[in-house]
Amino acid sequence: MSEGESPLSWRPTATNDALIKRARLLAQVRDFFALRRVLEVDLPVLGACTVSDPHLDSVSTEAPRSYLQSSPEYFMKRLLAAGSGAIYALAKAFRAGDRGRYHNPEFTLLEWYRPGWDENQLMEEVADLLRSVACVPDSAAQRVTYRDIFLATVSLDPHRASLGELAALASDIAQRDMSTESRATCLDLIFSFEIEARLPPGIVFVHDYPECLCALAQLGVDADGVTVARRFEVFLERRELANGYFELLNAGEQRRRFSEDNRQRKAMGKPEILADEQLLAALDAGLPSCAGVALGIDRLLMHLVGAEHIREVIAFAD
Amino acid sequence: MANYSTNEFRSGLKVILDGDPCSIVENEFVKPGKGQAFSRVRMKNLKSGRVWERTFKSGESLEAADVSEQNMQYLYNDGEYWHFMEPDTFEQHQADKVSVGDTALWLREQDTCIVTLFNGSPLAVAAANHVDLEITQTDPGLKGDTAQGGTKPATLSTGAVIKVPLFLNEGEIVSVDTRTGEYLSRAKK
């Protein structure tokens, strides 16, 4: 803090340059989707239900209990089931406790869904969007499977390595005993601390995730006959930017994942989250086969302005 | 003592890790696109002075360490322990060689220094940044040689040996920076 400045600063955390670039980026995104005839939808940020993902904590309100949405996903899936066609939302999302260089509890999320598409077509469109808004060269987009990047970086096959092997490497990275951790936790730790920083530059799509990291993606079988989750993550200059899925359609499977999430939440000492029955009813009625992706606008802006911390691109960061 | 969760970790927070008191230097929040969030924490072991880097799952917690820093007056050394006194309560504490460490070279009786207490016992002792000490042994000064340039070793009353300008003599008081062991200036008696 510079001399003479009061400790309680009223000033914005973002630079004026970042605010100008943010306005331009939002306009470019809307132009991009308008040209492609994807409909912008304006959805509630306050909802009666929220995601059950054990690693996400929603911000909630008291009496009546409501949740600030951690993403517009469930509302968007209900629209898709109602026959909306291709849609996107560009809005605020909230995740309690996510605070750091690349995280702010309130942030701007771009999420879109393409009925009739799979994750491969959607990866192409994400690359197109990034090329058009982020001045990334046409050539600079590559795909790599989760297994190949693991093998190339840490010489372990993430699908076939034993939990013992994964936990040993995770313990080495964390400098703590991780031998009682789950396969998913070990994989997340290895990826976050060993692999992400060593990804190739430019736009990189990592796809075909291990089954235990499936979230709301459909399962498939890869060329080696291994069951994989049909989801992808997008990295721009080694920084995670977006998460995409060939979406789960089956209401029964969705219900099973809700209860598995709640089993984990209980074990973690977190409150259980009631299943979103309206989402399940929409899945019962029939969600069209679709691919969906959510992209962090603030992180993209960080890249555009060369910011070191997310607060530099948010007018008033937490 | 209380526990601190990873989301409360911030620099300066004192916690217990592997039984030792540590001070958090830096806490980095890391989260993959979906999945487990982590805190990568750099912490200084207050006993050994070494910096550790450990990774925790978000939501894990560490026990708070009862560590405090107090200004105390250095009283005397009995050959084994260094004795300090809290100026307000006159409560006395004794610190061993491990906790006093190299600071012993700068401790002059009656001087105020900073004692770090862990569970009420001295863990570390730091001298004031600048102390004035008497030269007890050095080669005779060269008269008139006040120009910049040469230095010579001088032993101070505490036993510390530092480099001083050539013109200084035994019995003179010098001001020293205890963090670097460097001579700063001639001080008044």
Side-chain angles (χ1 to χ4, degrees), chain A residues 53 55-56 97-100 103 173-176 181 185 188-189 192-193 231 233 240 243 245, chain B residues 7 17 28-40 53-58 60 62:
Chain A
D53 184 328
H55 302 299
L56 280 185
D98 284 12
R99 190 178 279 106
H103 295 84
I173 294 166
Q175 292 290 298
R176 298 177 67 224
E181 298 300 339
T185 295
D188 279 340
L189 189 129
S192 298
F193 292 100
R231 52 173 282 221
E233 286 199 15
E240 191 257 329
N243 235 290
Y245 301 87
Chain B
N7 60 19
L17 183 69
E28 184 194 3
F29 179 79
V30 176
K31 190 173 187 180
K34 280 276 173 198
Q36 178 69 53
F38 301 96
S39 277
R40 172 154 276 194
E53 192 171 86
R54 296 289 160 92
T55 303
F56 299 87
K57 291 191 295 176
S58 280
E60 283 193 278
L62 288 175

Side-chain angles (χ1 to χ4, degrees), chain B:
Chain B
M1 291 291 283
N3 282 310
Y4 291 115
S5 165
T6 51
N7 60 19
E8 297 171 286
F9 287 6
R10 51 199 96 257
S11 73
L13 193 74
K14 309 292 193 296
V15 293
I16 305 272
L17 183 69
D18 299 347
D20 282 356
C22 295
S23 176
I24 289 177
V25 178
E26 200 181 356
N27 175 23
E28 184 194 3
F29 179 79
V30 176
K31 190 173 187 180
K34 280 276 173 198
Q36 178 69 53
F38 301 96
S39 277
R40 172 154 276 194
V41 185
R42 294 208 314 134
M43 44 177 73
K44 186 176 178 177
N45 182 320
L46 294 173
K47 260 188 181 162
S48 68
R50 287 173 56 183
V51 174
W52 286 344
E53 192 171 86
R54 296 289 160 92
T55 303
F56 299 87
K57 291 191 295 176
S58 280
E60 283 193 278
S61 59
L62 288 175
E63 193 188 337
D66 178 14
V67 171
S68 61
E69 287 186 344
Q70 298 226 13
N71 284 325
M72 291 194 202
Q73 192 179 49
Y74 168 55
L75 300 175
Y76 64 96
N77 172 5
D78 64 14
E80 188 177 2
Y81 292 103
W82 284 255
H83 296 260
F84 300 86
M85 183 178 72
E86 293 185 37
D88 301 335
T89 62
F90 307 113
E91 192 184 334
Q92 293 193 19
H93 299 270
Q94 59 177 32
D96 64 13
K97 195 172 179 166
V98 176
S99 31
V100 176
D102 288 344
T103 303
L105 292 175
W106 313 114
L107 290 178
R108 190 177 64 168
E109 291 175 9
Q110 319 287 312
D111 276 0
T112 297
C113 49
I114 301 153
V115 178
T116 305
L117 295 173
F118 172 46
N119 292 336
S121 305
L123 180 71
V125 177
N129 290 343
H130 298 166
V131 294
D132 294 344
L133 296 168
E134 185 184 344
I135 296 177
T136 54
Q137 195 283 315
T138 192
D139 291 338
L142 293 173
K143 261 213 173 98
D145 187 4
T146 55
Q148 71 275 38
T151 60
K152 61 181 179 181
T155 307
L156 307 179
S157 55
T158 54
V161 178
I162 64 164
K163 284 178 179 163
V164 300
L166 295 173
F167 61 83
L168 288 168
N169 284 302
E170 289 177 5
E172 288 192 271
I173 310 286
V174 290
S175 188
V176 187
D177 187 321
T178 61
R179 294 159 299 183
T180 58
E182 277 173 12
Y183 164 86
L184 295 171
S185 64
R186 188 146 50 161
K188 291 198 180 84
K189 286 199 185 186

